[in-house]
Every structure is written in C-alpha cells, then in structure tokens.
Amino acid sequence: MQVNLSEIMNRRNETVSQSVPIEFEVYKRCGVEYPVRECSEVNVTLCSHGVKRVLVKADAKVVLSAVCDRCLKEVELPFDIHHEEEFDFSGDEHESAEDLDEVSYISGYDLDIDGMIFEDMLLDFPTKVLCREDCKGICRVCGADLNQGECGCDREVLDPRMAAIRDIFNNFKEV
Ligand SMILES: [Zn+2]
Ligand SMILES: [Zn+2]
C-alpha cells in the first residue's frame, strides 16, 4: 500500500498516525516462497519536522511459515519490525532526487509500505532456518528424524558405491 507524503511534508510539526494493512501473502527470497502465516497491521506515524522533511516510523509483526533447513519440519519465522527513517525532500531537486533514488520503496512522494517492510525483513532474515539451535536433522540413509532418536544407520559412508565395495571387503574378512 502506498502512503503519500506530500501533504504532511508541507505542514510544520505535525504528526499523523494510521494503520495500514500488509498486502503481500507470500514472502519471496532467493527463489524460496514463505507464506505469511500471521501479520499485524503496520502502524505508521508520519512526523513533519522542518521544511519538506518527514520522519517515518513504522511497527509491524509478521510471522512467516518456513521449513527447518536440517529436518524439513515446519517452523514459524517471526519478525518484529521497527522502522525509523527520515526522508528529506528539501534539497535542490537534482540532489534530493539522487538520494531518494537509492530508496527502493520511495517513488516520488509515495512511500510503499509493503516494500519497506519487505526490505526490513530481508535484513532480519536468518542465514539458517532451524527448528531449534541443535537440530540433528534427518538421516540421509533412511530419512528418519534424528531428533526422535538414533536410527542406527551407518552414515560414515557417503557414496553408495563405496558402501558396496566396503561390504565386499567385510565379506572377505569374515571368510
Ligand atoms: Zn530441524
Ligand atoms: Zn537412518
């Protein structure tokens, strides 16, 4: 959802607050889709201070649905977003345009709330998604969930062809 900043920016020392819905239902990152399981509205406060300067504060909570990188169990990824940023439209046109050009969620005087929340979540995104810090993952031989207990497979040997050769050696030893 777009919030237009042109009105507030021309007033002096004024604050307006509003609640804006989050409109994306799926969060996409590195080709993976994470459905939004829960989200609050975004509480946006716009503060005009100084000429053509607007301080934007936004708070929101988003919970994504993800899977553990190790055991593939479904996990919740909560995000607590607090955004505070000042936009300065006062500079000469060329200068300020260049500055604000770098902000992907500002277009003209429109602030794209979804885009802003999206970027905040990207910064907060964990490098690894784990159901718990010490998740043991799944057995790559039989697929058992190792958090439930040891399955007894020999996982030392990675390559099944190597396993076959080792079995032949073991058979020789037994003879
Ligand atoms: Zn796990
Ligand atoms: Zn196993």
Side-chain angles (χ1 to χ4, degrees):
M1 180 156 180
Q2 308 280 342
V3 170
N4 192 276
L5 303 178
S6 54
E7 201 177 319
I8 184 86
M9 137 188 124
N10 288 314
R11 299 199 203 141
R12 225 163 230 279
N13 299 321
E14 222 174 283
T15 302
V16 273
S17 294
Q18 54 186 307
S19 286
V20 178
I22 287 175
E23 285 169 334
F24 57 85
E25 287 170 1
V26 172
Y27 191 85
K28 289 196 191 96
R29 177 182 170 270
C30 301
V32 181
E33 294 192 352
Y34 303 89
V36 174
R37 184 185 282 190
E38 275 171 57
C39 65
S40 68
E41 296 214 305
V42 188
N43 285 314
V44 186
T45 304
L46 308 175
C47 239
S48 64
H49 62 128
V51 181
K52 294 197 167 186
R53 278 159 62 173
V54 184
L55 177 70
V56 174
K57 289 184 192 171
D59 296 295
K61 281 184 167 54
V62 181
V63 180
L64 297 182
S65 186
V67 288
C68 174
D69 285 342
R70 290 188 196 145
C71 73
L72 307 178
K73 201 182 291 167
E74 200 179 324
V75 287
E76 290 187 352
L77 267 188
F79 293 84
D80 211 346
I81 296 144
H82 302 285
H83 192 105
E84 195 168 323
E85 187 170 4
E86 190 183 81
F87 298 104
D88 187 350
F89 298 98
S90 67
D92 74 67
E93 231 157 74
H94 184 71
E95 189 186 307
S96 73
E98 233 173 46
D99 255 12
L100 291 166
D101 256 3
E102 288 169 18
V103 183
S104 63
Y105 40 87
I106 284 277
S107 154
Y109 297 123
D110 284 327
L111 171 65
D112 174 11
I113 298 293
D114 273 4
M116 186 174 76
I117 298 296
F118 221 83
E119 280 212 8
D120 285 352
M121 288 170 68
L122 200 60
L123 295 174
D124 280 354
F125 217 93
T127 46
K128 259 191 177 309
V129 176
L130 294 176
C131 61
R132 58 185 218 212
E133 202 57 42
D134 62 344
C135 173
K136 296 186 175 75
I138 52 175
C139 171
R140 60 174 177 269
V141 179
C142 74
D145 181 353
L146 297 175
N147 297 307
Q148 312 280 356
E150 183 51 56
C151 55
C153 293
D154 183 357
R155 288 184 298 277
E156 292 299 305
V157 180
L158 276 168
D159 191 326
R161 285 166 302 177
M162 287 303 292
I165 291 167
R166 188 199 52 184
D167 285 347
I168 290 167
F169 270 105
N170 283 347
N171 285 343
F172 265 114
K173 267 190 261 166
E174 277 163 26
V175 172

